[in-house]
Amino acid sequence: MEGARVHTREWAREMGMLDGGIWTQKDLDAHDYGLMCAYTHPDCDQVELDLITDWYVWVFFFDDHFLEQFKRTRDSEGSRAYLERIRLFMPIDLSDPVPEPSNPVEKGLDDLWRRSTPGSGRDWRERFHIVTRHLLEESTWELDNIRRGRVSNPIEYIEERRKVGGAPWSACLVEHAAGVEIPPELAGQRPLLVLRDTFADAIHLRNDLFSYQREVEQEGEHSNGVLVVKLFFACEVPRAAE
């Protein structure tokens, strides 16, 4: 854990994540991704824990970077171009050329993909590419709802949240951390999909409870389960949370 803390602090600085006003060193230390990843991946060796921790630093930095660059400015067109470029840094065929990174998000993803894919199977790379894209594209769904002043109904919210939330992405990282990839003939079967969706619901809806005040009251988000239930059932926030 201590090693991951030191490593990821240096890595975030090297990627430029502490230079643009999104995060300070104090912010990164307060988040303590090394502690979180040591709890969630307790069997990793040092190299793997450093890698997993860097992935979580990257994904949370992306979220805050997107908020400042596109959500607060309601820049839908700019966000689409931004996300289209990001996918280029996750080549499924490792021989495909990759453009020169132009910001900390691209630089971090380029570094992480290069460190994560040696020795990986093509099926895992395809699945990880898809869930990472879905995770990033959640931001455009959220931005569109904000721009239109729209809040999803509960059925749509659960369905979309399963697809674009972070849990399927985390599940792929679990495979990498454990050094065991799910066989291609099993990855798309119903038992594993149900397990993945249940995992997603538990994480995402619990996160909505903790994040409601920050997301809805401070950031103006519309994609939060508590808000969805509150409006759909016309009840107060405590009841919606329950």
Side-chain angles (χ1 to χ4, degrees):
M1 179 185 68
E2 291 298 340
R5 283 169 165 165
V6 172
H7 166 85
T8 207
R9 185 183 299 130
E10 295 172 352
W11 182 81
R13 186 181 298 112
E14 182 183 344
M15 295 300 111
M17 295 176 181
L18 306 181
D19 299 336
I22 306 295
W23 280 357
T24 64
Q25 181 73 64
K26 185 178 180 181
D27 294 326
L28 180 61
D29 290 344
H31 299 167
D32 204 353
Y33 297 108
L35 174 65
M36 182 189 77
C37 292
Y39 271 126
T40 54
H41 299 84
D43 300 319
C44 286
D45 62 20
Q46 188 68 65
V47 172
E48 186 69 16
L49 184 61
D50 289 349
L51 175 63
I52 296 295
T53 304
D54 289 348
W55 269 115
Y56 277 93
V57 168
W58 176 81
V59 82
F60 280 102
F61 178 82
F62 163 82
D63 196 49
D64 288 349
H65 185 262
F66 192 92
L67 170 68
E68 292 298 327
Q69 295 292 316
F70 303 107
K71 283 185 182 176
R72 293 199 192 281
T73 61
R74 307 294 193 259
D75 182 5
S76 298
E77 185 175 335
S79 73
R80 282 192 293 270
Y82 172 78
L83 293 174
E84 281 292 324
R85 247 185 78 84
I86 286 180
R87 71 173 65 181
L88 300 176
F89 296 92
M90 300 182 290
I92 295 170
D93 186 337
L94 300 182
S95 64
D96 287 349
V98 173
E100 188 69 26
S102 62
N103 59 58
V105 172
E106 292 178 353
K107 188 174 182 180
L109 181 56
D110 182 43
D111 177 77
L112 290 167
W113 194 260
R114 294 175 191 276
R115 290 162 58 199
S116 302
T117 50
S120 64
R122 184 180 180 89
D123 179 71
W124 180 84
R125 291 199 300 274
E126 288 179 346
R127 287 188 287 112
F128 194 47
H129 177 100
I130 289 169
V131 295
T132 304
R133 279 180 53 191
H134 285 172
L135 174 63
L136 303 180
E137 288 163 4
E138 172 193 27
S139 302
T140 59
W141 173 59
E142 292 176 345
L143 179 56
D144 187 54
N145 280 339
I146 292 170
R147 187 175 55 81
R148 296 163 60 191
R150 178 182 180 276
V151 176
S152 306
N153 64 61
I155 300 297
E156 178 198 0
Y157 180 75
I158 293 291
E159 186 175 56
E160 191 71 16
R161 194 81 161 90
R162 282 176 177 175
K163 185 177 77 173
V164 303
W169 180 84
S170 295
C172 273
L173 278 182
V174 168
E175 292 179 64
H176 195 285
V180 181
E181 295 179 8
I182 297 173
E185 63 271 20
L186 298 180
Q189 296 297 310
R190 176 173 169 77
L192 282 170
L193 296 181
V194 170
L195 183 61
R196 183 199 65 194
D197 287 348
T198 305
F199 176 59
D201 290 347
I203 291 175
H204 298 156
L205 297 179
R206 187 171 185 268
N207 179 72
D208 286 350
L209 295 172
F210 287 100
S211 302
Y212 174 80
Q213 286 183 300
R214 175 180 59 82
E215 290 181 350
V216 176
E217 297 177 1
Q218 298 176 21
E219 299 178 0
E221 290 278 8
H222 288 190
S223 301
N224 181 283
V226 177
L227 178 66
V228 167
V229 171
K230 172 181 180 289
L231 295 180
F232 190 81
F233 292 104
C235 61
E236 296 301 314
V237 171
R239 177 60 178 158
E242 289 293 334

